[in-house]
Amino acid sequence: FYGAKYKGRRITTIFIGGGTPSWLREESMQAVMETVYQNLAVDGDAEITIECNPGTVTEHKFEVYRKIGINRLSIGLQSAHNDELKILGRIHTYEQFLKTYDMARKHGFTNINIDLMSSLPGQTPDIFCDSLHRVLQLKPEHISAYSLILEEGTPFYQKYNSGCYPLPDEEQERLMYRETEQILAQAGYERYEISNYAKKGLECRHNKGYWQRTDYLGLGLGASSLVDHVRFSNTDNMEEYLRNSAFPEKIRCDRETLTEADEMAEFMFLGLRMTEGVSVREFEEYFGKNMESIYGEVLKKHFALGMLKKKNDRIFLTRRGIHVSNGVMADFLL
């Protein structure tokens, strides 16, 4: 359906994520990718990432991944401490992660991201930094370092509400963030987005496309898309999805045609997630309006507060602004 609908569009990145796609049998993953290649115009140098968790991959899976064009891995370590992994409900140990990482290198993967999570229950800055230093010894190309986000309805959220797992206070959380930036900078990693660091030239192209509002197509249960100024997502109801999967238009929900005001807001709050910030010139070229005429008061406020800074053509969050980025970005909603 989509191959016919978007014929002629070039695919520059593919991201196989959401949950744990590495659970899927290698034969099934091969069938998925063959179908993609048959129906969509994928660039020869496309960045193709798969998320994988330790304990769910094998030598043979890595062989197949290479064979079907997957050239980037995102491995969900989260912590190098087994007691923290247990609290998070992860099925793997740090030792299993090391085995997975070694297998990936053995099979020729030269672009690997490792996910780390901070602000875990009982975690101190020293404990988190120990995980960080252990990961650096492996020399991955990319590191994603996120703070724990509590999601309502999850078993972990219920345990947190019961008082079983007290979280680090705000000052400790900020200290972990500052030390992450310093340690990774010293090791040669550039922060290009609030929570993402990479060796020069190895930023995640797919994620950059999202923050720069490049069109993307989401396939699968609950997947979201942005195509031709329209945002939409697929149903997250499995029965409905399977019943109508031959008719993708029927499984779409939350369809929203973006207004100019929506797009201007997204340009600002998505672009400001990146350390290079947003371009005043690009805003004017895209919308035909001066950024200051739309956001003059908001910009003036956050320049004065020291949350935003301007250099040449670009406006970006200061180090102070990054710590309260959600509050800053909310002001750009028109």
Side-chain angles (χ1 to χ4, degrees), residues 236-334:
D236 59 7
N237 181 294
M238 178 68 86
E239 290 183 5
E240 181 185 352
Y241 181 85
L242 293 175
R243 187 168 60 249
N244 294 301
S245 61
F247 310 98
E249 298 281 7
K250 290 186 177 181
I251 58 175
R252 287 186 183 181
C253 56
D254 303 323
R255 190 179 189 280
E256 178 190 11
T257 300
L258 298 177
T259 64
E260 182 180 64
D262 293 331
E263 293 199 324
M264 286 191 289
E266 287 190 359
F267 182 99
M268 298 302 292
F269 70 71
L270 288 175
L272 284 171
R273 285 195 61 91
M274 303 191 66
T275 53
E276 68 179 12
V278 295
S279 163
V280 176
R281 175 184 52 78
E282 288 174 8
F283 184 95
E284 189 166 345
E285 287 176 355
Y286 191 90
F287 297 109
K289 296 177 182 178
N290 181 276
M291 185 186 289
E292 197 165 315
S293 70
I294 306 297
Y295 289 115
E297 289 302 311
V298 177
L299 293 170
K300 184 178 177 182
K301 169 187 171 181
H302 289 295
F303 286 145
L305 291 172
M307 303 300 177
L308 290 175
K309 188 175 181 180
K310 185 176 181 183
K311 186 175 180 180
N312 299 325
D313 173 59
R314 306 198 76 85
I315 294 170
F316 52 90
L317 288 167
T318 62
R319 186 168 296 174
R320 184 181 174 194
I322 285 173
H323 291 301
V324 289
S325 57
N326 287 345
V328 176
M329 293 172 188
D331 278 352
F332 288 96
L333 295 172
L334 295 173

Side-chain angles (χ1 to χ4, degrees), residues 77-91:
L77 168 60
Q78 315 311 344
S79 171
H81 297 269
N82 289 334
D83 56 339
E84 290 184 337
L85 292 172
K86 191 172 183 181
I87 289 172
L88 289 170
R90 300 287 165 165
I91 65 166

Side-chain angles (χ1 to χ4, degrees), residues 116-166:
L116 275 178
M117 200 177 285
S118 62
S119 300
L120 303 180
Q123 190 180 62
T124 64
D126 285 346
I127 292 172
F128 175 71
C129 288
D130 179 69
S131 284
L132 199 55
H133 282 298
R134 291 199 209 182
V135 164
L136 284 174
Q137 290 174 6
L138 301 172
K139 299 180 180 178
E141 286 69 34
H142 190 288
I143 294 174
S144 295
Y146 297 92
S147 294
L148 173 68
I149 296 175
L150 293 170
E151 296 280 359
E152 287 190 43
T154 62
F156 185 86
Y157 186 84
Q158 293 166 5
K159 290 177 183 177
Y160 167 73
N161 267 352
S162 69
C164 295
Y165 294 139

Side-chain angles (χ1 to χ4, degrees), residues 157-185:
Y157 186 84
Q158 293 166 5
K159 290 177 183 177
Y160 167 73
N161 267 352
S162 69
C164 295
Y165 294 139
L167 300 178
D169 61 30
E170 190 174 327
E171 185 52 40
Q172 284 187 310
E173 186 174 348
R174 287 186 180 183
L175 183 57
M176 290 181 208
Y177 190 88
R178 287 197 297 270
E179 291 192 350
T180 299
E181 182 183 13
Q182 291 168 5
I183 291 168
L184 291 179

Side-chain angles (χ1 to χ4, degrees), residues 37 50 59-73 103-111:
Y37 293 134
I50 187 169
E59 297 264 4
H60 189 227
K61 279 186 179 178
F62 279 138
E63 287 176 15
V64 172
Y65 292 169
R66 292 279 292 163
K67 176 183 173 184
I68 59 180
I70 294 172
N71 51 30
R72 185 176 182 275
L73 301 177
M103 275 197 293
R105 289 302 198 199
K106 174 184 169 184
H107 286 282
F109 285 95
T110 58
N111 195 355

